[in-house]
């Protein structure tokens, strides 16, 4: 990915392109995933906004569980997280979220609210930021892996004494830096998101929300993964890239090969050929030159259809034995069904 897409230098037009890709990819999601997306970005924020107007904003336990399910589907999967969140009582979830949202109404800094929400079992800074984002989607960013790595492109984390470079989306293709999901890391995300949001809003002449930045960062991360796989990391595109080319590639569908239907095999045994011709068909002869009797073969086989190979061989041996007996006794060559009965 080219350095012009780094947060300090990205233009509004480039940002808008990646932001638009999110909506295009949303249409390809399975029905269940699409429902979780609708719940995270529309249903829950609207319900919380209405409760805020009514006097007290809070989240129900079922709403928190649905948001955590969304987080696990679209982020790092942790099997134990859902069980821990489910272990919180209904009253505890409602009381804690109400307290955290109350802190946000008096102070735009989310650090205290994050600490309050982290008292719930299974809720850390990342999940807490998700709950706060539903309370204030315009200014509070969700602590996603893609957002962290994009915002900290070759920069240090403020307050990080180890001074490790964040190797997220960068030109040389180094491995991604491990994310610790700490309060310090989220404080850095909030600060950088606010700076970027204010700059892009001024450039665009319209409000750019924290959710917009979150969605653009998601596609930044997916495009960086695609470039790394293709060996084009850090290369300047030779021609203008269309919006659809920047979207994450859709999973390839496995092609199924159709096996052509084989025509039914033609009968080879004389008895089967005789049955196939029918009672009014042309005469059929066996290997010794004797004419086969259709009525007799039909009676022995039980139905006017081709027999199995073993059945045909058994019938042929029986007919040959009868012909030898007829020849010895001076009877005619053709053995009828009545004579052999």
């Amino acid at each position: 990915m080219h350095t012009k897409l780094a947060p300090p230098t990205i233009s509004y037009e480039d940002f808008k392109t990646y932001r638009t890709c999110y909506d295009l990819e949303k249409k390809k999601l399975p029905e269940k995933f699409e429902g979780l997306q609708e719940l995270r970005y529309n249903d829950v924020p609207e319900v919380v906004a209405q409760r805020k107007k009514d006097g007290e904003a809070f989240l129900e336990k079922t709403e928190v569980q649905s948001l955590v399910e969304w987080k696990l589907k679209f982020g790092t999967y942790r099997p134990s997280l859902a069980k821990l969140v489910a272990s919180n009582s209904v009253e505890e979830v409602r009381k804690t979220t109400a307290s955290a949202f109350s802190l946000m109404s008096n102070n735009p800094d989310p650090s205290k609210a994050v600490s309050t929400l982290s008292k719930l079992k299974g809720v850390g800074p990342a999940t807490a930021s998700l709950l706060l984002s539903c309370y204030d989607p315009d200014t509070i960013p969700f602590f996603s892996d893609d957002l962290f790595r994009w915002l900290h492109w070759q920069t240090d984390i403020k307050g990080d004494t180890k001074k490790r470079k964040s190797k997220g989306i960068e030109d040389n293709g180094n491995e991604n830096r491990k994310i610790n999901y700490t309060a310090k890391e989220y404080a850095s995300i909030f600060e950088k998101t606010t700076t970027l949001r204010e700059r892009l809003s001024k450039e665009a002449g319209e409000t750019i929300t924290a959710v917009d930045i979150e969605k653009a960062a998601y596609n930044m991360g997916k495009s960086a993964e695609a470039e790394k796989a293709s060996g084009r990391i850090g290369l300047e595109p030779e021609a203008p890239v269309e919006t659809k080319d920047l979207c994450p590639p859709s999973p390839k569908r496995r092609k199924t090969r159709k096996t052509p239907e084989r025509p039914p095999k033609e009968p080879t045994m004389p008895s089967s050929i005789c049955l196939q011709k029918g009672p009014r068909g042309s005469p059929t002869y066996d290997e010794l030159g004797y004419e086969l009797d259709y009525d007799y073969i039909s009676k022995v086989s039980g139905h006017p259809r081709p027999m199995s190979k073993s059945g045909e061989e058994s019938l042929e041996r029986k007919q040959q034995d009868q012909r030898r007996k007829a020849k010895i006794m001076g009877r005619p060559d053709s053995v009828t069904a009545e004579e052999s009965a």
Side-chain angles (χ1 to χ4, degrees):
M1 185 176 292
H2 197 262
T3 52
K4 71 174 184 177
L5 298 177
T9 57
I10 188 172
S11 66
Y12 170 69
E13 291 302 322
D14 288 335
F15 173 84
K16 184 179 179 181
T17 297
Y18 280 90
R19 166 62 183 84
T20 305
C21 282
Y22 193 93
D23 294 330
L24 295 176
E25 288 299 307
K26 180 182 176 182
K27 299 178 181 179
K28 305 176 184 179
L29 292 173
E31 186 176 350
K32 183 178 181 180
F33 285 12
E34 187 176 347
L36 288 173
Q37 287 282 76
E38 189 70 18
L39 184 142
R40 185 266 183 266
Y41 290 113
N42 295 314
D43 295 348
V44 175
E46 289 174 4
V47 169
V48 173
Q50 184 59 48
R51 290 171 183 163
K52 184 178 180 180
K53 291 180 181 180
D54 295 340
E56 184 181 31
F58 62 89
L59 285 172
E60 297 286 3
K61 179 180 176 179
T62 54
E63 293 167 344
V64 173
Q65 287 178 294
S66 297
L67 290 170
V68 169
E69 183 182 0
W70 173 88
K71 180 175 178 287
L72 296 177
K73 293 290 185 184
F74 293 90
T76 304
Y77 182 68
R78 295 180 176 85
S80 61
L81 185 61
K83 293 181 180 179
L84 287 172
V85 173
S87 66
N88 295 297
S89 66
V90 174
E91 185 62 30
E92 189 178 9
V93 170
R94 186 180 298 180
K95 182 179 179 180
T96 305
T97 55
S99 177
F101 292 163
S102 177
L103 291 172
M104 290 298 302
S105 63
N106 301 322
N107 185 3
D109 184 359
S111 58
K112 292 184 179 180
V114 168
S115 298
T116 300
L117 289 172
S118 297
K119 295 177 183 179
L120 292 171
K121 291 184 283 292
V123 176
T127 305
S129 70
L130 175 59
L131 306 184
L132 292 175
S133 178
C134 291
Y135 173 80
D136 186 1
D138 291 342
T139 62
I140 304 300
F142 163 53
F143 189 164
S144 69
D145 294 3
D146 295 312
L147 180 61
F148 174 85
R149 291 189 172 114
W150 181 49
L151 291 176
H152 297 89
W153 190 337
Q154 292 282 40
T155 59
D156 292 326
I157 304 299
K158 187 176 181 179
D160 189 345
T161 57
K162 294 184 179 180
K163 296 297 179 182
R164 297 168 297 183
K165 289 289 184 179
S166 170
K167 298 173 181 179
I169 308 173
E170 55 182 347
D171 290 339
N172 57 16
N174 288 336
E175 293 297 325
N176 292 332
R177 171 186 177 178
K178 180 181 177 182
I179 304 176
N180 298 310
Y181 305 100
T182 62
K184 286 183 179 180
E185 289 176 334
Y186 182 66
S188 181
I189 288 177
F190 177 74
E191 179 183 348
K192 291 180 181 294
T193 299
T194 301
T195 301
L196 178 61
R197 182 173 54 81
E198 292 175 351
R199 179 177 70 81
L200 291 176
S201 296
K202 185 177 181 181
E203 182 180 336
E206 61 183 55
T207 301
I208 303 298
T209 66
V211 168
D212 290 329
I213 295 176
E214 172 195 331
K215 292 179 177 180
Y218 175 84
N219 284 292
M220 291 281 183
K222 298 306 175 186
S223 296
E225 290 176 6
E227 287 185 7
K228 184 175 181 179
S230 63
R232 288 189 54 82
I233 295 180
L235 300 180
E236 183 78 50
E238 298 177 358
V241 182
E242 297 182 4
T243 301
K244 62 180 182 180
D245 296 327
L246 294 174
C247 298
S250 301
K252 295 182 179 179
R253 294 182 178 180
R254 179 179 294 180
K255 295 182 179 180
T256 56
R257 184 176 61 181
K258 294 183 178 180
T259 304
E261 295 183 359
R262 296 181 179 179
K265 293 183 178 181
E266 294 292 334
T268 57
M269 299 295 290
S271 56
S272 295
I273 296 174
C274 180
L275 289 172
Q276 188 180 53
K277 289 181 179 180
R280 298 182 181 180
S282 60
T284 305
Y285 302 92
D286 63 6
E287 292 85 349
L288 300 176
Y290 291 99
E291 182 180 350
L292 301 181
D293 182 13
Y294 174 83
D295 293 332
Y296 173 73
I297 295 176
S298 298
K299 182 179 179 180
V300 175
S301 64
H303 49 80
R305 291 183 295 179
M307 296 182 294
S308 64
K309 186 175 181 181
S310 60
E312 291 177 346
E313 292 175 350
S314 176
L315 178 61
E316 289 296 326
R317 288 194 299 269
K318 187 174 182 180
Q319 289 180 337
Q320 290 176 9
D321 185 56
Q322 290 174 346
R323 291 190 188 96
R324 283 194 295 270
K325 290 179 181 179
K327 188 175 182 180
I328 294 172
M329 298 177 69
R331 292 190 177 186
D333 293 343
S334 179
V335 181
T336 64
E338 289 80 6
E339 293 174 329
S340 60

